RNA sequence: GCGGUCGUGGCGGAAUUGGUAGACGCACUAGCUUGAGGUGCUAGCGGGGCAACCCGUGGAGGUUCGAGUCCUCUCGACCGCACCA
């Protein structure tokens, strides 16, 4: 297509996009080879679950990553920008149940469909490194790692209370239980005792916490969420003596954990978890207590009830002795709010300084003694009724602690009890506790990575030997009954024991799919390797991921697991680093208005016709004219039917329009509102750029750079270089909405300049316009790559803009010869003054004082001072 | 309850990090084109006032020559955690 024909023709996005995608693929320009000597840059977007179709959230996520990838490539980096599929998981099994298709067929069909959609977006991905987690070539390494981790002591099998999802019929990790419900099914989670495989993530609690400080390019919000999730607290383990006459068994002491040893003299009771061994022992002799414990357990199953649950307790009759006073006896209760799996499952209660203890003591008439006095308050007037005092203060009613600060008192108690011994052991010791629990990975599902273990009656738990890997999923399975098809399979689980060759059974649980996504970023560094997950060399070449981009919903789950996994892989010598993601960016969602018919049914945007603007905006059903209610703006979801299909947008407007729109307007970390008007605006800009470049292409420019430029030409050159400097800076900082604004500004400036030319421009001007056109096209290339190729060709270049270097800024063009400074009088802008770039403060002051506005303001008043901020502002104070 | 983020035109948002508030886009208004129906161009677009000017970044104070930006209090919206001793 010649430049001449551009002017009156619309840019046909779809036609051009398909053509350029073909060219890129044929030339293989986005394939990345290992051992590239250039500085590396690894940009990764969270890989999708192959649900069948991409949504606008994917478009936004992958466009952002693609902008970074294309920009870094132009900056001279060897860029790794791969894509894969998080392909195991429940929906494939649900499809198998609902539609009688095999999970594997369903998954691979979806992958094929979504790959086509992603390719239509023009993403600069290295498809040669594509992986799918359900591929045995992938999960065989995962099975090997499981066995390596087992050998390294990072995996254990234990019986434990687990979260059981009664709908999905599987176990869930704590992280997958949200408000007491399964994250996927939404069903209320029950507690069950099962034998499960665990990754010992808690071995790394301290390390995972401390290393958060090193993640300077992560959002503070995510680091804080992880910090809270790990939940470190420092405290004291204290052994209380029990009165033998009152104990149900041979226990002579009770160990508790507390973070407030300073409040020991405010103690009014002890409390045990219903699951505590001492509580169990007491219950064996006391049917009423047994009934109370049973009641507690029933309540524990529905976690949502916990919010409103009353503090309930049962006095066991057991008496404990205060560690600082042998004559001081404390009653031992079983209480419903004490958790067995935190600390020791037992506490001492200080009602005056703990909300829960106070509620409990008030209910059972145990009273309270304040031991911390707020600053400035007379201890005699201090009474605690319904609100405990939790702040800092001075110790009172606490014998040898009186007068101390809380900190000092904690230290004093710790010192004294550490020194004291009973049966060769100190009465107390310092301990750090974490909220973080080990990661249970067993799932009673078919479509997941099989756990490579064999159970033998003689030899017990036996790892599958390396030559037995991968343990692949059988394909002949049925989904006509609930539960795990692997367990029901007639032959699959029957094997011979690798150790004794006797009959044995395979483990039929599969791994949590979060395991699959905990190391895929490492696999991309050497996806062809069939011996190991990756090699230390390839991992060293590419890791860490320089820029990771994805949704905030993975702030804890996926990101914490991946951090753990990287440490575990390092321990086993597979990689040489701890932190997989050096930079993390969490992008906002794509949201849209909702529409509802009179019947209450949600209506899709595509079926709605909107008329009017502002408050007179009305919506009707396009087909019938029936009025439609315009609802709130919400995350695009199938249930509210407020989705917009990327395919339809791409075929109507082209991928570049869609890409441009999701980058414009909203800052990338915030939600972006999808509107039809906004998309049309983007489409108009695509057309405008095409016309503008066509006009520039028509200008005959000299081949050599002219020696001199007119003011008009300089103005254009400055505008281009200023835009270049700003866009570069903003892409670096992922501020895509500002890049968009700067590109609009440059296009506006060039449009005005060309509109102002009456006849044939002079050499300098022509050259400046061609230069600006070349810069403009390269600036918008990362965002709208197809249009950029088309424009680049129209400007007469024979190269691909996708392989062009980023333009160089001429720093001289960023500074003006003269500067116009605002002049304030008493802080209000009253005038402007234009001075030379290098004017001294004295010169500026003199120029300001000569201004009429300043003279007028000074009439009858005296000048107090003049503040000159070079390059910024002048303030005259009178 | 605890922790966090954020409040700027009709809307999405800019503001060189304490220095001309409202860049850029959307919507809107007027005019000119185009011509039949998602086109292009020009101008306007925070509020008040004829004007000089005055007011204006949720609200109230404060620090400063100067505050959208910093501090205190307060109101509102959103997010995360939630019996973790």
């Amino acid at each position: 297509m010649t430049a001449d024909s551009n002017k009156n023709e619309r840019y046909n996005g779809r036609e051009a996009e398909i053509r350029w995608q073909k060219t890129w693929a044929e030339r293989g320009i986005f394939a990345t080879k290992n051992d590239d000597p250039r500085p590396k840059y690894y940009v990764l977007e969270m890989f999708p679950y192959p649900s069948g179709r991409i949504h606008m959230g994917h478009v936004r996520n992958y466009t952002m990553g693609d902008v970074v990838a294309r920009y870094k490539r132009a900056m001279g980096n060897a860029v790794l920008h791969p894509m894969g599929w998080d392909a195991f998981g429940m929906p494939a099994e649900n499809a198998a149940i609902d539609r009688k298709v095999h999970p594997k067929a369903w998954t691979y069909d979806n992958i094929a469909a979504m790959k086509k959609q992603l390719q239509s977006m023009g993403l600069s991905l290295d498809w040669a490194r594509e992986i799918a987690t359900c591929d045995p070539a992938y999960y065989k390494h995962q099975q090997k790692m499981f066995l390596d981790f087992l050998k390294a002591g990072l995996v254990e099998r234990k019986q434990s209370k687990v979260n059981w999802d009664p709908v999905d019929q599987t176990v869930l990790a704590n992280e997958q239980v949200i408000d007491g419900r399964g994250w996927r099914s939404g069903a209320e989670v029950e507690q069950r005792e099962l034998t499960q495989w665990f990754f010992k993530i808690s071995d790394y609690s301290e390390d995972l916490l401390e290393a958060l400080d090193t993640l300077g390019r992560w959002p503070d919000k995510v680091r804080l969420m992880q910090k809270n999730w790990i939940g470190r607290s420092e405290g004291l383990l204290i052994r209380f003596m029990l009165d033998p006459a009152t104990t149900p068994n041979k226990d002579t002491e009770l160990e508790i954990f507390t973070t407030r040893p300073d409040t020991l003299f405010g103690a009014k009771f002890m409390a045990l978890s219903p699951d505590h061994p001492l509580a169990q022992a007491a219950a064996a002799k006391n049917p009423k207590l047994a009934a109370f414990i049973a009641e507690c357990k029933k309540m524990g199953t529905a976690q949502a009830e916990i919010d409103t649950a009353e503090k309930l307790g049962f006095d066991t009759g057991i008496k404990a002795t205060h560690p600082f006073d042998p004559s001081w006896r404390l009653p031992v209760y079983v209480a419903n709010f004490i958790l067995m799996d935190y600390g020791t499952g037992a506490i001492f209660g200080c009602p005056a300084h703990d909300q829960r203890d106070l509620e409990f003591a008030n209910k059972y008439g145990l009273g309270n003694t304040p031991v911390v006095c707020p600053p400035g308050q007379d201890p005699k007037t201090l009474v605690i009724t319904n609100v405990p005092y939790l702040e800092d203060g001075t110790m009172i009613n606490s014998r040898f602690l009186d007068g101390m600060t809380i900190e000092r008192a904690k230290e004093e108690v710790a010192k004294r009890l550490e020194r004291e011994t009973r049966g060769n052991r100190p009465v107390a010791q310092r301990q750090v506790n974490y909220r973080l629990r080990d990661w249970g990975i067993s799932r009673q599902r078919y479509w997941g990575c099989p756990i490579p273990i064999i159970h033998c009656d003689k030899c017990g738990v036996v790892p599958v030997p390396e030559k037995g890997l991968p343990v692949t999923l059988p394909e002949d399975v049925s989904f006509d009954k609930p539960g795990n098809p692997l367990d029901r399979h007639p032959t699959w689980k029957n094997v011979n024991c690798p150790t004794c060759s006797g009959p044995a059974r395979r483990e039929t649980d599969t791994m949590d799919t979060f395991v699959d996504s905990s190391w895929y970023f490492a696999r991309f560094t050497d996806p062809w390797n069939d011996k190991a997950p990756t090699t230390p060399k390839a991992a060293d070449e590419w890791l860490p991921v320089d820029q990771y981009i994805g949704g905030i919903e993975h702030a804890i789950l996926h990101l914490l697991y991946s951090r753990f996994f990287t440490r575990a892989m390092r321990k086993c010598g597979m990689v040489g680093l701890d932190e997989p993601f050096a930079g993390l960016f969490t992008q906002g969602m794509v949201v849209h208005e909702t529409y509802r018919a009179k019947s209450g049914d949600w209506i899709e945007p595509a079926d709605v016709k909107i008329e009017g603007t502002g408050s007179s905006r009305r919506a009707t059903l396009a087909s019938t004219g029936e009025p439609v209610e315009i609802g709130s703006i919400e995350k695009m979801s199938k249930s509210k039917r407020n989705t917009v299909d990327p395919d339809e947008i791409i075929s109507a407007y082209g991928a570049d329009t869609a890409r441009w729109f999701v980058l414009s307007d909203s800052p990338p970390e915030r939600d972006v509102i999808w509107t039809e008007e906004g998309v049309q605006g983007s489409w108009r800009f695509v057309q405008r750029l095409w016309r503008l470049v066509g006009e520039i292409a028509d200008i005959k420019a000299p081949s050599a750079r002219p020696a001199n430029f007119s003011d008009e030409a300089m103005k254009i050159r400055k505008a281009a270089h200023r835009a270049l400097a700003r866009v570069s800076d903003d892409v670096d900082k992922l501020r895509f909405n500002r890049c968009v604004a700067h590109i609009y500004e440059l296009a506006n400036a060039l449009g005005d300049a060309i509109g102002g030319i009456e006849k044939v421009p002079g050499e300098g001007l022509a050259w400046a316009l061609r230069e600006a056109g070349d810069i403009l096209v390269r600036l918008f290339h990362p965002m709208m790559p197809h249009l950029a190729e088309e424009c680049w060709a129209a400007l007469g270049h024979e190269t691909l803009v996708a392989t062009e270097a980023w333009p160089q800024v001429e720093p001289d063009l960023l500074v003006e010869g003269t500067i116009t400074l605002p002049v304030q009088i008493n802080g209000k802008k009253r005038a402007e003054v234009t001075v030379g770039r290098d004017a001294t403060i004295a010169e500026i002051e003199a120029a300001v004082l000569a201004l009429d506005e300043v003279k007028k303001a000074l009439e009858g008043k005296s000048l107090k001072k003049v503040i000159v901020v070079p390059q910024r502002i002048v303030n005259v104070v009178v």
Side-chain angles (χ1 to χ4, degrees):
Chain A
M1 191 181 283
T2 66
D4 251 4
S5 63
N6 294 346
K7 271 191 283 185
N8 303 314
E9 248 179 64
R10 269 190 188 166
Y11 168 66
N12 182 342
R14 260 338 266 152
E15 180 276 323
E17 286 174 4
I18 290 165
R19 186 156 38 78
W20 288 113
Q21 284 160 14
K22 201 166 152 251
T23 304
W24 295 332
E26 280 166 4
R27 303 207 195 165
I29 57 173
F30 303 131
T32 311
K33 293 200 171 62
N34 284 4
D35 298 321
D36 193 309
R38 293 172 297 172
K40 70 100 181 177
Y41 197 89
Y42 186 178
V43 55
L44 184 66
E45 302 97 56
M46 291 179 184
F47 68 163
Y49 177 79
S51 58
R53 302 196 63 75
I54 65 167
H55 51 68
M56 278 301 170
H58 291 126
V59 172
R60 196 176 190 207
N61 191 181
Y62 300 142
T63 299
M64 288 181 191
D66 199 45
V67 171
V68 174
R70 287 176 180 270
Y71 171 72
K72 288 291 174 184
R73 222 173 266 123
M75 292 297 284
N77 290 282
V79 170
L80 178 56
H81 187 213
M83 183 54 74
W85 309 96
D86 190 11
F88 273 137
M90 285 289 304
E93 289 190 57
N94 292 337
I97 293 160
D98 297 344
R99 278 178 262 172
K100 310 269 180 237
V101 286
H102 194 278
K104 183 177 170 183
W106 184 83
T107 302
Y108 277 99
D109 282 354
N110 288 349
I111 287 174
M114 288 175 74
K115 184 173 178 178
K116 221 175 132 194
Q117 288 187 297
L118 291 183
Q119 286 173 328
S120 77
M121 283 179 62
L123 303 169
S124 64
L125 292 163
D126 180 1
W127 284 104
R129 294 180 188 244
E130 178 183 3
I131 56 177
T133 57
C134 63
D135 184 348
Y138 180 84
Y139 70 68
K140 83 173 195 187
H141 302 291
Q142 190 164 306
Q143 292 176 338
K144 177 67 170 42
M145 276 192 278
F146 176 92
L147 297 175
D148 289 342
F149 292 178
L150 183 63
K151 229 179 273 171
L154 293 169
V155 177
E156 76 180 336
R157 188 165 184 260
K158 61 186 177 191
Q159 209 190 35
S160 106
K161 208 149 85 167
V162 294
N163 305 300
W164 178 261
D165 186 322
V167 169
D168 283 350
Q169 301 226 343
T170 186
V171 166
L172 297 176
N174 290 326
E175 290 85 341
Q176 292 163 343
V177 180
I178 294 148
D179 291 334
R181 291 170 183 277
W183 71 301
R184 197 141 236 171
S185 72
E188 273 192 14
V189 166
E190 300 165 6
Q191 305 296 314
R192 286 200 184 176
E193 285 279 337
L194 285 177
T195 304
Q196 303 287 312
W197 288 98
F198 285 84
F199 282 139
K200 292 171 77 179
I201 188 170
S202 66
D203 279 8
Y204 291 93
S205 297
E206 186 63 35
D207 186 35
L208 288 167
L209 179 69
E210 266 183 21
L212 286 173
D213 289 337
T214 68
L215 300 173
R217 286 173 50 233
W218 278 41
D220 291 343
K221 183 190 168 88
V222 174
R223 289 192 291 178
L224 188 68
M225 281 167 73
Q226 292 211 355
K227 184 183 169 201
N228 292 338
W229 189 265
I230 294 167
R232 181 184 202 274
S233 57
E234 281 180 29
L236 208 57
L237 279 173
I238 305 176
R239 293 156 61 207
F240 279 66
M241 292 259 280
L242 295 176
D243 179 351
T246 63
T247 54
N249 56 7
K250 299 185 294 286
D251 285 356
T252 57
E253 57 179 46
L254 174 64
E255 190 168 42
I256 60 99
F257 176 73
T258 179
T259 56
R260 294 296 303 271
D262 54 302
T263 63
L264 214 41
F265 289 105
K268 292 292 171 189
F269 64 95
M270 313 289 293
L272 305 172
S273 163
D275 297 315
H276 196 282
L278 185 59
Q280 299 287 331
K285 296 188 176 168
N286 184 344
K288 279 188 185 164
L289 176 55
F292 173 77
I293 289 173
E295 195 62 28
C296 288
K297 286 201 172 164
K298 220 194 301 174
M299 229 179 40
T301 54
Q303 299 216 352
E305 289 170 30
I306 286 174
D307 297 359
T308 49
E310 205 182 348
K311 307 274 175 287
L312 294 174
F314 190 98
D315 189 350
T316 60
I318 303 169
K319 300 290 179 197
T321 307
H322 195 282
F324 287 123
D325 185 347
S327 66
W328 185 344
R329 298 298 177 88
L330 291 158
V332 179
Y333 281 76
V334 172
N336 63 348
F337 63 95
I338 308 300
L339 306 171
M340 190 57 222
D341 48 6
Y342 188 81
T344 63
I347 61 150
F348 84 83
C350 173
H353 304 290
D354 184 281
Q355 182 65 47
R356 296 151 303 179
D357 295 353
L358 186 60
E359 280 173 41
F360 190 79
N362 285 348
K363 183 169 173 73
Y364 293 102
L366 302 170
N368 74 70
T369 306
V371 291
V372 181
C373 186
Q377 187 165 352
D378 180 357
K380 291 192 194 83
T381 66
L382 180 59
V383 178
I384 304 270
T385 51
N386 291 314
V387 184
Y389 181 69
L390 307 171
E391 312 286 307
D392 210 345
T394 309
M395 301 307 301
I396 53 169
N397 303 325
S398 295
R399 307 186 192 182
F400 55 85
L401 299 176
D402 282 352
M404 292 182 184
T405 62
I406 290 178
E407 261 333 289
R408 277 242 23 226
K410 279 182 183 170
E411 187 58 31
E412 184 63 28
V413 169
K415 264 192 203 150
R416 289 193 185 220
L417 293 180
E418 272 173 333
R419 264 201 309 262
E420 201 174 315
T421 56
R422 197 187 308 132
N424 286 336
R425 282 172 55 215
V427 168
Q429 63 189 95
R430 293 169 209 248
Q431 199 194 45
V432 176
N433 257 306
Y434 300 91
R435 213 186 73 114
L436 182 66
R437 313 287 158 72
D438 282 334
W439 173 18
I441 59 150
S442 298
R443 298 289 181 274
Q444 294 67 42
R445 306 302 320 175
Y446 166 73
W447 195 234
C449 172
I451 295 174
I453 288 290
I454 290 164
H455 299 281
C456 172
D457 287 336
K458 274 194 222 150
C459 312
V461 172
V462 182
V464 173
E466 204 165 336
K467 61 178 191 301
L469 297 182
V471 176
T472 53
L473 290 167
E475 301 213 2
D476 53 332
V477 283
S478 75
F479 293 90
D480 42 15
K481 280 180 244 161
N484 183 355
L486 289 179
D487 206 30
R488 294 196 301 267
H489 193 278
T491 55
W492 184 77
K493 67 179 171 185
N494 299 323
V495 286
N496 291 326
C497 173
T499 309
C500 71
S501 302
R505 300 167 314 281
R506 282 192 190 284
E507 170 76 55
T508 57
D509 285 353
T510 51
M511 294 185 208
D512 180 4
T513 56
F514 276 98
V515 179
D516 312 339
S517 55
S518 292
W519 67 283
Y520 79 106
F521 48 86
R523 183 63 182 164
F524 281 132
T525 64
D526 191 5
W528 310 280
N529 191 328
D530 65 349
K531 299 273 186 288
T534 180
T535 55
K537 184 165 174 282
D540 191 48
E541 180 180 353
W542 293 110
L543 293 175
V545 175
D546 295 280
Q547 188 61 61
Y548 197 32
I549 307 176
I552 185 78
E553 65 272 19
H554 295 106
I556 296 173
L557 296 171
H558 162 59
L559 292 168
L560 192 60
Y561 292 151
S562 298
R563 296 181 61 218
F564 158 72
F565 228 83
T566 306
R567 284 164 170 77
M569 287 173 79
R570 178 181 202 162
K571 189 173 182 184
C572 297
M574 300 165 202
V575 298
L577 80 173
D578 284 340
E579 290 296 341
F581 312 121
L584 172 69
F585 189 86
T586 53
Q587 103 268 3
M589 296 180 296
V590 182
V591 295
H592 195 285
E593 261 181 349
T594 50
Y595 307 103
R596 215 164 190 176
K598 266 190 301 196
S599 62
D601 293 344
W602 300 101
I603 310 291
E604 285 178 23
D607 298 334
V608 175
K609 194 179 161 197
I610 306 254
E611 282 163 308
T613 56
S615 56
S616 63
R617 226 160 140 262
R618 298 278 178 276
T620 51
L621 203 58
S623 52
T624 63
E626 183 200 327
V628 169
E629 189 196 334
I630 300 177
S632 58
I633 296 170
E634 307 207 30
K635 177 183 181 174
M636 285 190 182
S637 72
K638 278 183 202 144
S639 60
K640 299 255 167 90
R641 305 189 73 186
N642 60 338
T643 55
V644 172
D645 184 2
D647 263 1
E648 286 172 25
I649 297 298
I650 289 171
S651 51
Y653 298 100
D656 286 338
T657 297
R659 293 170 61 121
W660 186 252
F661 180 71
V662 294
L663 294 171
S664 58
D665 285 349
S666 293
E669 68 278 9
R670 275 197 235 172
D671 292 349
V672 65
I673 305 170
W674 186 276
T675 62
E676 189 62 23
E677 293 87 346
V679 178
Q680 284 175 22
S682 296
W683 182 82
R684 283 199 300 267
F685 187 56
V686 167
Q687 300 300 330
R688 212 172 109 208
L689 284 173
W690 178 238
R691 284 195 306 273
L692 178 65
V693 169
E695 285 171 37
I696 291 173
D698 283 349
I699 297 169
K700 251 185 102 82
S703 53
R705 175 183 168 139
N708 296 303
F709 292 101
S710 62
D711 287 353
E712 202 183 1
M714 282 306 284
K715 211 174 131 191
I716 290 164
R717 297 202 67 215
K718 282 175 180 171
H721 283 262
R722 197 164 49 232
L724 168 58
R726 289 180 177 170
V727 170
S728 311
D729 186 41
D730 283 332
V731 175
D732 258 330
K733 292 170 179 153
L734 309 179
R735 297 189 291 213
F736 306 116
N737 58 321
R738 304 211 308 188
C739 298
V740 165
H742 299 141
I743 290 167
Y744 268 113
E745 269 178 301
L746 179 56
N748 290 346
L750 293 182
D752 289 350
I754 288 175
I757 295 170
E758 281 173 20
K759 21 185 207 305
V760 180
E763 287 212 329
L765 186 55
W767 194 89
L769 281 167
R770 292 296 297 234
E771 181 199 24
D774 281 1
I775 289 176
L776 175 68
V777 171
R778 279 178 292 172
L779 285 188
F780 72 71
H781 153 254
M783 294 97 183
M784 298 191 279
H786 314 87
L787 177 68
E789 293 291 3
E790 197 76 357
C791 288
W792 194 244
L795 285 169
H797 298 288
E798 284 171 7
T799 55
L800 291 174
V801 73
T803 55
E804 279 295 306
W806 198 246
Q808 295 270 326
V809 186
E810 286 180 32
D812 285 353
L813 293 171
L814 300 182
V815 284
E816 297 287 341
T818 59
I819 294 171
T820 300
L821 294 173
V823 175
Q824 294 182 333
I825 294 168
N826 288 335
K828 304 213 169 190
K829 194 202 157 192
R830 284 290 181 268
E832 285 181 345
V833 67
T834 301
V835 295
R837 186 207 306 178
D838 305 317
T840 63
I841 287 178
E843 284 165 355
I844 295 170
E845 222 178 289
V848 165
L849 292 175
L851 292 169
D852 288 343
E853 290 88 345
V854 175
K855 283 183 190 158
K856 204 177 128 199
L858 277 170
E859 273 168 27
K861 290 173 187 165
S862 63
L863 179 69
K864 288 210 184 94
K865 60 176 155 177
V866 179
I867 292 152
V868 177
V869 184
Q871 315 288 317
R872 282 285 151 77
I873 201 163
V874 180
N875 195 5
V876 179
V877 187
V878 295

